[in-house]
Amino acid sequence: MPPSVNNADKLNSIQEERYSLLIHRVDKRLEVLNNQSVPIYKATIGIGKGGLKDKQNMNDFVTPTGEMRVDLILYKKSEYNQIAQDNVKRFIKVTQYRNLVNPQQGLAQLFKNMSSLDFDGNGSPDSAYGNGYIGLTSTTSITGPKMSTFQGTPYWFSIALHGTPDPDNIGQANSGGCIHLDSNTLQQLIEKGWVKLGTKVTIVD
């Protein structure tokens, strides 16, 4: 009989499957790295229109550099939605946001809110985040206040990797500081499990 796989081996195999992302601002390129730091997937991205500078605040339209971690995943298929416990603990204390940090219905409503926002003021929803949103957090880089409101509607205001309703944004510097992804790349990252809570995302020039 073949030797049985013990729980420690199973845990090790799970840990070995952890991926990370490397993002190049200058080349506007994203790479998915396996646990050996070997690229297994590459894609063209869009970056912030504020230029290749150090990020000073959330209004300068600059995509920050540095090491970050995924702390929120919102997606068109709500079963993939995830939120870091630190975020839940922080915002469950605020009446306005409490129901939106619920891992199931709350996160689906949060993404629905975000898709309904009319940032350009033309009277119709912008669907500015496309099919999904991967929020980032960092101890050394500016990544935003997180939960906020726009014209009274609660939404997640953070540096993130997210979709775009305009395919022409890919390969350009048109965002407010976030990383624009095409819908196929977004789907691969989320549905293949390359991005999960805690995934390391490093942004360099």
Side-chain angles (χ1 to χ4, degrees):
M1 291 179 64
S4 61
V5 178
N6 63 34
N7 288 336
D9 289 338
K10 288 180 182 178
L11 181 60
N12 288 337
S13 69
I14 291 171
Q15 289 172 339
E16 287 169 5
E17 291 170 5
R18 179 146 312 252
Y19 302 92
S20 62
L21 303 184
L22 178 60
I23 293 170
H24 303 265
R25 291 197 308 183
V26 173
D27 296 340
K28 300 179 182 67
R29 184 176 82 252
L30 173 147
E31 296 176 341
V32 179
L33 309 179
N34 66 13
N35 65 316
Q36 302 296 318
S37 297
V38 175
I40 60 168
Y41 180 87
K42 297 180 182 181
T44 302
I45 60 168
I47 65 169
K49 56 189 172 184
L52 303 175
K53 308 171 187 173
D54 289 335
K55 189 166 187 65
Q56 301 298 319
N57 58 68
M58 286 298 287
N59 298 316
D60 61 12
F61 304 131
V62 171
T63 298
T65 55
E67 185 174 304
M68 304 167 203
R69 298 277 175 176
V70 173
D71 68 343
L72 177 73
I73 298 174
L74 302 174
Y75 191 49
K76 62 179 180 179
K77 298 178 183 178
S78 62
E79 62 266 28
Y80 289 95
N81 290 348
Q82 300 177 57
I83 185 169
Q85 278 304 304
D86 285 352
N87 290 330
V88 175
K89 290 175 183 175
R90 178 180 172 190
F91 293 110
I92 204 166
K93 301 172 186 175
V94 184
T95 303
Q96 186 179 19
Y97 303 140
R98 181 174 301 144
N99 293 335
L100 296 173
V101 295
N102 176 291
Q104 300 302 322
Q105 301 89 339
L107 294 182
Q109 182 60 50
L110 178 60
F111 193 49
K112 187 175 180 181
N113 283 3
M114 292 165 65
S115 299
S116 75
L117 298 176
D118 177 20
F119 290 115
D120 62 13
N122 69 354
S124 61
D126 294 349
S127 298
Y129 306 104
N131 289 332
Y133 183 98
I134 300 168
L136 301 177
T137 190
S138 174
T139 58
T140 55
S141 304
I142 295 170
T143 56
K146 311 302 179 180
M147 196 72 87
S148 189
T149 59
F150 180 79
Q151 295 182 347
T153 299
Y155 79 115
W156 201 259
F157 182 33
S158 168
I159 294 300
L161 294 81
H162 63 72
T164 172
D166 184 357
D168 289 341
N169 282 328
I170 305 302
Q172 303 299 318
N174 285 338
S175 86
C178 290
I179 303 293
H180 278 145
L181 305 177
D182 66 78
S183 58
N184 178 64
T185 297
L186 193 58
Q187 179 180 9
Q188 300 260 55
L189 292 179
I190 294 176
E191 294 193 17
K192 288 194 173 183
W194 291 340
V195 166
K196 298 179 180 178
L197 291 182
T199 295
K200 183 170 76 170
V201 178
T202 305
I203 304 178
V204 299
D205 280 332

